[in-house]
Amino acid sequence: MDGPLRGVTVVALEQAVSAPMCTRTLGDFGARVIKVENPAGGDFARHYDDVVGGLAAHFVWVNRGKESVALDLKSRAGLAVLRRLLHRADVLVSNLTPGTTAKLGLSPADLRVSHPDLIAVEIDGYGPGGPLSHKRAYDLLVQAESGACAVTGHPGAPAKPGPPVADVCGGLYAALSVLALLHGKRRGRPAASVAVSLFDTMAELMGYPLTYTRHSGVEQQPLGMGSPAVAPYGAHRTADGHTVVLGTTNDREWRRLARELLGRPELAQDPRYATNADRVEHRAVLDAEIGAWCARHDLADVQERADAAGIGNSRFNTQRDVLAHPHLAARDRWREIGTPGGPVPALLPPPVITGFEPPMGAVPALGEHTGAVLAELGLRDEEIAALREQGAVR
């Protein structure tokens, strides 16, 4: 089965994670993604490290299946090539520093005139019109600004959530916006532009704690591997040195945990723990009870009993544990993709579409597809050679 986005061409002026995640997601659904890079080094995320056969782990993660075209957009000739490329494209995605697309004559307002059928997506840090709009914005900076670090870690010891949540979710919101606008075009609506800011994205992800604080006046404190909203819900050491995470989401589950897991029916009937709000208030007492019980049982025993009682549970895993995770192996979630440094394993994208196998294309070398794409645009060999000589392409 063809991908649902087969026939859609996406041009990307992108770097780091947010826009590359957007375009890789579109590519996973079958879109063609042409990544335009600076000939002098390309996407700077290529060089964060060199652990994947000379390539950076960040870059390999979010750039598979793309074609790399190296254009010097500061040159008139390179910019002219980009404009020819955009005439054949359906979508332009960018996350360059604020104001860069306007300097290139490629702002959404410019594109409405020069490329009226093009969907233009700009991802930036803070969005226009505010006191922070001019600032550079990286994942950690935005997570700190949005309050995400204040609800992660422990009281007095805030932490950045491990994955680049602002970048990833900003990219996914951008991809979702592209899908919506493509659908609108097919229903006869004109092409439109969309702006996604990482700060707005994180403010949305902070919806629960912001709503709670607005209406209660209380700033909930982080609880490490626990939740300030629900109790009991957290991590406990087991007798064999592992860590199990147990969670309840309603009063019925709590009563089952007390009766069937802990063997403490009196706790299930105790009015101090009748509702979730009551249990949150007495969290320390319940955590001590559950922690003491887990400390007397091995991980396998805890999970077997929890499953039998219908109590949510998981094992705390490290990165190595996940790489060897039997659930990923049993469901055949790994594929091999090509890179300039040789083949490497990569995870399939999360959506499983009946009858469709994601393309899982190779990670491109810088400028690997420049010649082929320029020829596709109708440039003759001598014209391409002249552009190379000028330094406009690589």
Side-chain angles (χ1 to χ4, degrees), residues 15-251:
Q15 52 199 8
V17 174
S18 59
M21 174 57 75
C22 169
T23 57
R24 198 209 78 181
T25 299
L26 299 173
D28 286 340
F29 289 124
R32 179 188 187 187
V33 180
I34 300 174
K35 183 182 181 78
V36 176
E37 300 188 72
N38 184 339
D43 182 341
F44 56 71
R46 283 182 177 273
H47 313 292
Y48 280 166
D49 54 62
D50 60 1
V51 300
V52 189
L55 289 173
H58 271 93
F59 189 83
V60 171
W61 168 40
V62 290
N63 285 287
R64 66 165 183 257
K66 302 179 184 181
E67 300 170 47
S68 174
V69 174
L71 298 178
D72 180 4
L73 300 184
K74 294 181 180 179
S75 73
R76 184 175 298 177
L79 189 56
V81 172
L82 174 62
R83 289 187 177 280
R84 291 178 68 166
L85 196 53
L86 292 179
H87 278 301
R88 295 181 171 218
D90 301 285
V91 182
L92 170 65
V93 177
S94 66
N95 70 331
L96 306 180
T97 54
T100 299
T101 54
K103 290 177 184 176
L104 295 172
L106 299 174
S107 71
D110 296 323
L111 293 172
R112 278 195 293 272
V113 176
S114 61
H115 299 77
D117 292 328
L118 188 71
I119 293 170
V121 182
E122 287 204 356
I123 304 173
D124 68 4
Y126 295 100
L132 302 182
S133 298
H134 66 288
K135 295 177 72 68
R136 288 184 178 272
Y138 307 134
D139 184 83
L140 171 58
L141 306 181
V142 174
Q143 292 208 42
E145 192 76 42
S146 66
C149 295
V151 296
T152 309
H154 296 274
K160 172 194 174 297
V165 180
D167 281 339
V168 170
C169 292
L172 293 177
Y173 268 112
L176 178 62
S177 300
V178 169
L179 297 179
L181 294 176
L182 285 171
H183 178 69
K185 279 188 67 178
R186 287 170 181 167
R187 292 171 63 91
R189 296 182 180 180
S193 61
V194 59
V196 176
S197 86
L198 302 186
F199 183 74
D200 291 346
T201 297
M202 287 308 301
E204 168 65 20
L205 296 184
M206 285 288 291
Y208 164 71
L210 294 179
T211 301
Y212 187 94
T213 298
R214 178 183 291 278
H215 295 283
S216 70
V218 175
E219 290 188 327
Q220 292 175 317
Q221 296 301 299
L223 293 171
M225 287 184 61
S227 167
V230 181
Y233 192 1
H236 306 278
R237 294 290 285 178
T238 60
D240 53 349
H242 293 289
T243 297
V244 68
V245 182
L246 298 172
T248 61
T249 58
N250 57 59
D251 299 339

Side-chain angles (χ1 to χ4, degrees), residues 77 374 379-393:
L374 295 188
L379 278 75
R380 300 187 304 274
D381 289 347
E382 56 268 28
E383 293 177 295
I384 297 173
L387 289 171
R388 286 200 177 103
E389 194 170 316
Q390 297 169 33
V393 305

